[in-house]
Amino acid sequence: MGLRCRMRTTKCQLLVTSLCVMLLGLSIATLSTVTHYGLHFTLISDISLESNSYRVIHHAAFYFGICLSMTLILAALLSSAATVRESQCLTAMGFFCFALAFCGLIPAACWRYTHSTEVEDSMMDVYDLVYEEVRRNASSFRRHELTAIHEAFLCCGKRSPFGDTANVERKTCPSGQVHNVGKDCLQEIQDFLKKHMDFVSTLLGITIGFMVVVESDKVSPQTPLLQTKQHQFPQLLLIRLVLQTLHQLRCPSLDTLINDH
């Protein structure tokens, strides 16, 4: 009775772990989608030049996040199925998906901390480019793009060392955002991106920590199940031998009957 209760508890723990992994995968997928299709990011991506690295980072982050989330969800589904069916094949497949996701998370975290300012610099370079083109030529097609940036980030202009910027701000800041005049857009972009990247770092840290726990406990939670089967195997074998012996005693073989006659 106690052994069966421990087996049920172990299965429940594995199912809860799989559910948490699936939620992490869905969170990463949601974050990747928001990052790719969010107004602030798509606006900068559409404006950026081909020489700017932001567009490449923008698309690479989305595809990496989607692949990682799908791997985690698949690992969770395989682990759940393996727990219910007690299948070694499904367990191995789930373990492989967990290992694959972990191998993808480590480079992502390393890139996040070694290139912490690359995304920020590329976004601010896009704003600097648009702003300076509008300052040199007020009738430039970039004027609408600069106005869209001001509306998205709720800011107006920047501190420029090239002289008075009031004319640019008056033409590109929406009339309903007069209270935003004087708010440096570069600072607003930096603050917005810092909050977003802090959230990304937190989610990556939680996922990596959870993966370490899952990988370390992947074998140990199943040990009671395997031990249970190993303990039951000699008992089943002994019972089978006893039943075969009783059957032979009750039903003699054909050779025995022939010899008797």
Side-chain angles (χ1 to χ4, degrees), residues 70-81:
M70 293 300 102
T71 304
L72 289 174
I73 293 174
L74 179 60
L77 292 176
L78 290 173
S79 181
S80 300

Side-chain angles (χ1 to χ4, degrees), residues 14 17-18 21 24 68 71-72 75-76 79 91-106 206-223:
L14 290 174
T17 302
S18 301
V21 173
L24 283 174
L68 179 62
T71 304
L72 289 174
S79 181
T91 301
M93 294 172 62
F95 184 82
F96 175 77
C97 290
F98 278 120
L100 189 64
F102 183 77
C103 292
L105 282 167
I106 297 302
I206 293 174
T207 307
I208 291 176
F210 202 80
M211 286 295 99
V212 171
V213 174
V214 169
E215 293 291 342
S216 61
D217 293 344
K218 193 65 180 176
V219 178
S220 58
Q222 295 177 352
T223 304

Side-chain angles (χ1 to χ4, degrees), residues 189-208:
I189 292 174
Q190 186 177 11
D191 294 341
F192 169 81
L193 193 60
K194 184 178 183 302
K195 293 178 182 178
H196 185 79
M197 295 305 291
D198 287 344
F199 186 77
V200 171
S201 300
T202 302
L203 186 59
L204 281 176
I206 293 174
T207 307
I208 291 176

Side-chain angles (χ1 to χ4, degrees), residues 203-250:
L203 186 59
L204 281 176
I206 293 174
T207 307
I208 291 176
F210 202 80
M211 286 295 99
V212 171
V213 174
V214 169
E215 293 291 342
S216 61
D217 293 344
K218 193 65 180 176
V219 178
S220 58
Q222 295 177 352
T223 304
L225 297 177
L226 296 177
Q227 288 179 349
T228 302
K229 293 182 178 180
Q230 292 174 356
H231 287 310
Q232 288 179 346
F233 181 75
Q235 298 174 2
L236 294 175
L237 183 60
L238 180 61
I239 293 174
R240 182 178 179 182
L241 292 174
V242 171
L243 291 177
Q244 287 179 350
T245 304
L246 292 175
H247 180 72
Q248 291 176 356
L249 291 175
R250 295 178 59 183

